[in-house]
Amino acid sequence: MLKLKLSSLLLLVVACSDDAVESSESTDSPAPHSDSLEIEDARARTSRPPHANSAAFMTLLNHGPDDLVLVGVKTRRAKVSELHTMLHEDGKMKMRRVKRLVVPSKGELVLKPGADHLMFFELDKAWRDGDDLQLTLLFAKYPEQTITLKVEK
């Protein structure tokens, strides 16, 4: 029993040493860094009466070695925030909620009208041209990214 405890203690000491930290930093799958993601052309659409919903669009550029998976979005300005895509069904374009959108490694995800986008329901008040809007993008295995964008017509 004492031998097992000493072995466990020795493993703990080795795991906490500087050498162990250096070797864990040089693994093949490093944790993503906040400089892996770049966001361009971020904007939100003005709301229309009765000011019940709006959408946001942008281009997300992934400079990192791993795909980034967008799993959600939040803002204080809407009760409901969702990821959406557009699909052709029965000869018509239909908007559908999705659980995730992928920003490919060394690639981009374009969020635009008529395609993948961020959707907001039950707005706090009208989103007017020129308003600043703060959004937080939620990723799997990547830090949240809070951005401020303009509302446009």
Side-chain angles (χ1 to χ4, degrees), residues 60-64 103-109:
L60 292 90
L61 302 157
N62 180 1
H63 303 292
V103 188
S105 169
K106 308 293 185 199
E108 65 182 30
L109 170 65

mmCIF file of all heavy atoms in Angstrom, residues 60-64 103-109:
data_model
loop_
_atom_site.group_PDB
_atom_site.id
_atom_site.type_symbol
_atom_site.label_atom_id
_atom_site.label_comp_id
_atom_site.label_asym_id
_atom_site.label_seq_id
_atom_site.Cartn_x
_atom_site.Cartn_y
_atom_site.Cartn_z
ATOM 1 N N LEU A 60 -16.410 35.032 -40.739
ATOM 2 C CA LEU A 60 -15.503 34.530 -39.724
ATOM 3 C C LEU A 60 -14.354 33.821 -40.429
ATOM 4 O O LEU A 60 -14.584 32.886 -41.204
ATOM 5 C CB LEU A 60 -16.217 33.561 -38.778
ATOM 6 C CG LEU A 60 -17.277 34.207 -37.888
ATOM 7 C CD1 LEU A 60 -18.624 34.187 -38.561
ATOM 8 C CD2 LEU A 60 -17.350 33.500 -36.562
ATOM 9 N N LEU A 61 -13.137 34.283 -40.190
ATOM 10 C CA LEU A 61 -11.937 33.710 -40.807
ATOM 11 C C LEU A 61 -11.168 32.928 -39.742
ATOM 12 O O LEU A 61 -10.851 33.468 -38.679
ATOM 13 C CB LEU A 61 -11.048 34.822 -41.362
ATOM 14 C CG LEU A 61 -11.726 35.720 -42.403
ATOM 15 C CD1 LEU A 61 -11.040 37.058 -42.489
ATOM 16 C CD2 LEU A 61 -11.725 35.031 -43.736
ATOM 17 N N ASN A 62 -10.853 31.684 -40.036
ATOM 18 C CA ASN A 62 -10.135 30.817 -39.106
ATOM 19 C C ASN A 62 -8.703 30.640 -39.606
ATOM 20 O O ASN A 62 -8.478 29.977 -40.613
ATOM 21 C CB ASN A 62 -10.839 29.463 -39.002
ATOM 22 C CG ASN A 62 -10.160 28.505 -38.070
ATOM 23 O OD1 ASN A 62 -9.147 28.817 -37.449
ATOM 24 N ND2 ASN A 62 -10.708 27.314 -37.973
ATOM 25 N N HIS A 63 -7.743 31.226 -38.887
ATOM 26 C CA HIS A 63 -6.331 31.108 -39.251
ATOM 27 C C HIS A 63 -5.653 29.929 -38.552
ATOM 28 O O HIS A 63 -4.475 29.684 -38.761
ATOM 29 C CB HIS A 63 -5.589 32.403 -38.912
ATOM 30 C CG HIS A 63 -6.174 33.605 -39.575
ATOM 31 N ND1 HIS A 63 -6.131 33.805 -40.939
ATOM 32 C CD2 HIS A 63 -6.842 34.670 -39.064
ATOM 33 C CE1 HIS A 63 -6.727 34.947 -41.231
ATOM 34 N NE2 HIS A 63 -7.181 35.488 -40.127
ATOM 35 N N GLY A 64 -6.405 29.217 -37.716
ATOM 36 C CA GLY A 64 -5.832 28.143 -36.915
ATOM 37 C C GLY A 64 -5.817 26.794 -37.611
ATOM 38 O O GLY A 64 -6.410 26.610 -38.680
ATOM 39 N N VAL A 103 -16.479 26.801 -38.881
ATOM 40 C CA VAL A 103 -15.509 27.662 -39.556
ATOM 41 C C VAL A 103 -14.310 26.764 -39.833
ATOM 42 O O VAL A 103 -13.578 26.408 -38.903
ATOM 43 C CB VAL A 103 -15.086 28.868 -38.687
ATOM 44 C CG1 VAL A 103 -14.242 29.835 -39.497
ATOM 45 C CG2 VAL A 103 -16.288 29.564 -38.066
ATOM 46 N N PRO A 104 -14.111 26.347 -41.073
ATOM 47 C CA PRO A 104 -13.052 25.362 -41.345
ATOM 48 C C PRO A 104 -11.654 25.902 -41.080
ATOM 49 O O PRO A 104 -11.401 27.101 -41.206
ATOM 50 C CB PRO A 104 -13.241 25.039 -42.823
ATOM 51 C CG PRO A 104 -14.009 26.165 -43.396
ATOM 52 C CD PRO A 104 -14.805 26.774 -42.283
ATOM 53 N N SER A 105 -10.759 24.999 -40.717
ATOM 54 C CA SER A 105 -9.356 25.357 -40.524
ATOM 55 C C SER A 105 -8.823 26.032 -41.779
ATOM 56 O O SER A 105 -9.059 25.557 -42.893
ATOM 57 C CB SER A 105 -8.563 24.077 -40.236
ATOM 58 O OG SER A 105 -7.182 24.334 -40.284
ATOM 59 N N LYS A 106 -8.138 27.148 -41.586
ATOM 60 C CA LYS A 106 -7.551 27.923 -42.697
ATOM 61 C C LYS A 106 -8.618 28.360 -43.712
ATOM 62 O O LYS A 106 -8.323 28.573 -44.880
ATOM 63 C CB LYS A 106 -6.457 27.130 -43.423
ATOM 64 C CG LYS A 106 -5.391 26.565 -42.516
ATOM 65 C CD LYS A 106 -4.554 27.627 -41.881
ATOM 66 C CE LYS A 106 -3.425 26.984 -41.088
ATOM 67 N NZ LYS A 106 -2.862 27.870 -40.118
ATOM 68 N N GLY A 107 -9.862 28.489 -43.251
ATOM 69 C CA GLY A 107 -10.954 28.846 -44.148
ATOM 70 C C GLY A 107 -11.860 29.893 -43.533
ATOM 71 O O GLY A 107 -11.503 30.570 -42.567
ATOM 72 N N GLU A 108 -13.064 30.012 -44.085
ATOM 73 C CA GLU A 108 -13.990 31.032 -43.626
ATOM 74 C C GLU A 108 -15.418 30.511 -43.621
ATOM 75 O O GLU A 108 -15.756 29.557 -44.322
ATOM 76 C CB GLU A 108 -13.901 32.281 -44.497
ATOM 77 C CG GLU A 108 -14.339 32.088 -45.929
ATOM 78 C CD GLU A 108 -14.201 33.344 -46.773
ATOM 79 O OE1 GLU A 108 -13.311 34.167 -46.493
ATOM 80 O OE2 GLU A 108 -14.990 33.483 -47.719
ATOM 81 N N LEU A 109 -16.228 31.157 -42.808
ATOM 82 C CA LEU A 109 -17.667 30.938 -42.775
ATOM 83 C C LEU A 109 -18.298 32.289 -43.043
ATOM 84 O O LEU A 109 -18.054 33.247 -42.303
ATOM 85 C CB LEU A 109 -18.107 30.397 -41.409
ATOM 86 C CG LEU A 109 -19.613 30.343 -41.161
ATOM 87 C CD1 LEU A 109 -20.285 29.350 -42.110
ATOM 88 C CD2 LEU A 109 -19.900 29.982 -39.707
#
